[in-house]
Amino acid sequence: MNHEPLTLTPEEQFILACLRSEFSGSGNTDFPAFDYESFDWDRVYKKSIQWRIAPLLYKILEKRIKSSLKNCPPLEGAGGGQPSIPKHFLEKIKVKYLITCVANNAIYKDLAEISEVFSKAGIQFILLKGSHLAKFVYQDPGMRPMADIDILVKKDDLQKAEELLLQMGYYQEHDKIGPFHLPYFLHQKRVKSLEVHWTIASSIWKFNINIEGLWERVKAVRNNGSEMLVFSSEDLLLYLSLHAVYQHNLKAFGLIPYCDIASTIHRFAHGIDWDQLKQRAHEWGIEKYLYLALRISHEMLGVCVPDHISCATQSEPLNETIVSEAINRILSIKAEKATYTDIPHLFYEDFHPSKSLMKRMLFAFRRVFISPEKLAACYKLPTNSLLVYLYYFVRFITLIYRYFILHYAYLILYKLNYKKEPVYGEKLDLWLLLPDSKK
């Protein structure tokens, strides 16, 4: 590393060393030389949960232990060069893997049913994020947790897809809507949250992402007998980088986004067209975010990336201070909020200041005065109750509090408190927010 190394505990170093052994491509199956007897294994477990890689860590440890010797001695107090990893720790972290495996297999079963219904209606969809990664990149549903399910459909199919899901017994949370997906779909007996996207980036972000091109390059995969679509490896890397670095400002999901990138490169190492990846990142206008994501994955996880891809963007070198701050933010998970980028996605497109006052007022009106049936569903009221109409006032106050007072009040306080002295991560946030200076 060219920047100052981070001060990490031995337990944190151990976790990163395990991940590097998986993704570096060195083929080294030996455990790093740590004093395992002095480890606080509870700290290892808690940090793996915080970094969101507990199931992945379990599988790495299981594989490394099995491959160390053909006749593996007992895990606890193992000798002969074997790491002395307590059995109770392995059993505890194994539970996280098994829970993830059961939950994800149920999700893939539900996806197969959705795929069958959509297929009969002539609707295709692309698996996004975890639903693509767990089974078709990691190749083990238990290794990659999923908070919710995300699929991409063509914009012309949105209404029909929504109708079909409602017919399947899904209902929508109309308070949870994003700039590029429908309100969340929930089901009493199925996946806990399903998002139906029609694009992968809000138009207000000013990127030049060709959605039609994404559809032209999709690959077919099979899940429980159903054919589904996934991004090409190049498009997947671009999407993961944009999602982790720009959309979430390196603040969400711990290490898992960079393990996703590392696993994609590790799995498709010989099939990635790096020149196409570089060219497409330039066309989309997201070079800096791709290169930072790749650099982070290389520095933390040992991912092998070609020099002409990882060294710099086409327009300007990647500042080492930015790299250091980014890694520090990810590993510490304690960075200051970047309030000027934390305004909810609700406003990115429809309520952005660039929109006319009339359009913003119309948007606000539509958000408050949804249909009585949808309002009743939001607050779990009988649809024939007169109380439904009183809840329009409740909804108005709730939206004002949630999207204005909480965020804009914080923004004002932030500026008052830190107007003279920059806080941790501010330069990084500005770098993330601003486009390349030479574009």
Side-chain angles (χ1 to χ4, degrees), residues 46 87 104 144 157 220 233 246 310 351 368 388 393 398 416:
K46 289 180 179 178
K87 188 175 181 179
N104 286 357
R144 208 288 187 179
D157 292 331
S233 53
Y246 183 79
S310 60
F351 210 73
V368 174
V388 171
F393 177 75
T398 301
L416 289 175

Side-chain angles (χ1 to χ4, degrees), residues 24 42 226 419:
S24 65
D42 187 53
S226 298
K419 60 183 179 181

Side-chain angles (χ1 to χ4, degrees), residues 89-100:
F89 165 76
L90 286 171
E91 290 176 345
K92 189 176 182 180
I93 204 169
K94 182 179 181 179
V95 170
K96 298 300 293 184
Y97 166 78
L98 293 176
I99 290 173
T100 303

Side-chain angles (χ1 to χ4, degrees), residues 173-191:
E173 283 198 351
H174 290 274
D175 278 345
K176 295 183 178 180
I177 185 172
F180 33 79
H181 64 77
L182 296 174
Y184 289 0
F185 289 89
L186 305 175
H187 198 288
Q188 296 291 347
K189 298 180 180 180
R190 297 179 187 269
V191 297

Side-chain angles (χ1 to χ4, degrees), residues 77-331:
Q82 286 279 73
S84 183
I85 300 177
K87 188 175 181 179
H88 70 83
F89 165 76
L90 286 171
E91 290 176 345
K92 189 176 182 180
I93 204 169
K94 182 179 181 179
V95 170
K96 298 300 293 184
Y97 166 78
L98 293 176
I99 290 173
T100 303
C101 194
V102 170
N104 286 357
N105 279 326
I107 285 171
Y108 282 114
K109 182 180 178 181
D110 291 338
L111 277 171
E113 294 178 8
I114 294 172
S115 176
E116 183 178 354
V117 172
F118 278 25
S119 179
K120 290 179 180 178
I123 298 176
Q124 292 182 311
F125 65 83
I126 301 173
L127 298 177
L128 300 178
K129 303 178 190 175
S131 56
H132 176 183
L133 294 159
K135 192 168 187 176
F136 305 107
V137 177
Y138 288 91
Q139 296 187 298
D140 183 335
M143 290 173 67
R144 208 288 187 179
M146 290 186 249
D148 51 26
I149 304 304
D150 300 80
I151 61 174
L152 179 73
V153 304
K154 294 179 180 178
K155 197 166 186 178
D156 291 343
D157 292 331
L158 273 178
Q159 183 176 350
K160 184 61 177 177
E162 184 175 25
E163 292 172 356
L164 290 173
L165 289 170
L166 293 174
Q167 290 171 14
M168 292 179 68
Y170 287 87
Y171 63 95
Q172 292 176 285
E173 283 198 351
H174 290 274
D175 278 345
K176 295 183 178 180
I177 185 172
F180 33 79
H181 64 77
L182 296 174
Y184 289 0
F185 289 89
L186 305 175
H187 198 288
Q188 296 291 347
K189 298 180 180 180
R190 297 179 187 269
V191 297
K192 58 184 179 181
S193 180
L194 171 67
E195 294 181 17
V196 179
H197 298 243
W198 65 87
T199 184
I200 63 171
S202 170
S203 61
I204 207 68
W205 291 357
K206 305 303 181 185
F207 298 130
N208 185 33
I209 300 174
N210 182 352
I211 297 298
E212 289 75 18
L214 289 172
W215 281 97
E216 291 171 1
R217 294 186 293 269
V218 293
K219 309 293 183 182
V221 294
R222 295 201 69 80
N223 167 50
N224 293 344
S226 298
E227 184 175 274
M228 299 181 186
L229 302 176
V230 297
F231 285 148
S232 68
S233 53
E234 295 83 9
D235 289 337
L236 178 59
L237 286 173
L238 292 170
Y239 175 56
L240 293 174
S241 301
L242 184 65
H243 183 259
V245 178
Y246 183 79
Q247 184 176 350
H248 291 289
N249 307 116
L250 306 159
K251 295 177 185 177
F253 312 117
L255 282 176
I256 198 65
Y258 314 97
C259 291
D260 291 343
I261 290 171
S263 187
T264 301
I265 294 173
H266 185 68
R267 167 127 173 79
F268 303 109
H270 301 296
I272 296 173
D273 189 328
W274 292 100
D275 290 329
Q276 276 293 319
L277 178 69
K278 186 175 180 179
Q279 178 61 32
R280 204 166 297 155
H282 178 71
E283 293 170 355
W284 288 16
I286 65 166
E287 290 168 290
K288 61 189 292 182
Y289 307 113
L290 169 68
Y291 294 139
L292 180 59
L294 293 177
R295 178 67 182 277
I296 290 169
S297 301
H298 171 72
E299 296 280 3
M300 292 197 305
L301 306 176
V303 178
C304 296
V305 180
D307 289 339
H308 74 289
I309 296 293
S310 60
C311 290
T313 65
Q314 291 181 346
S315 58
E316 58 186 63
L318 190 55
N319 187 295
E320 294 301 317
T321 301
I322 295 298
V323 176
S324 180
E325 287 187 3
I327 294 175
N328 197 0
R329 169 172 292 183
I330 294 163
L331 295 180

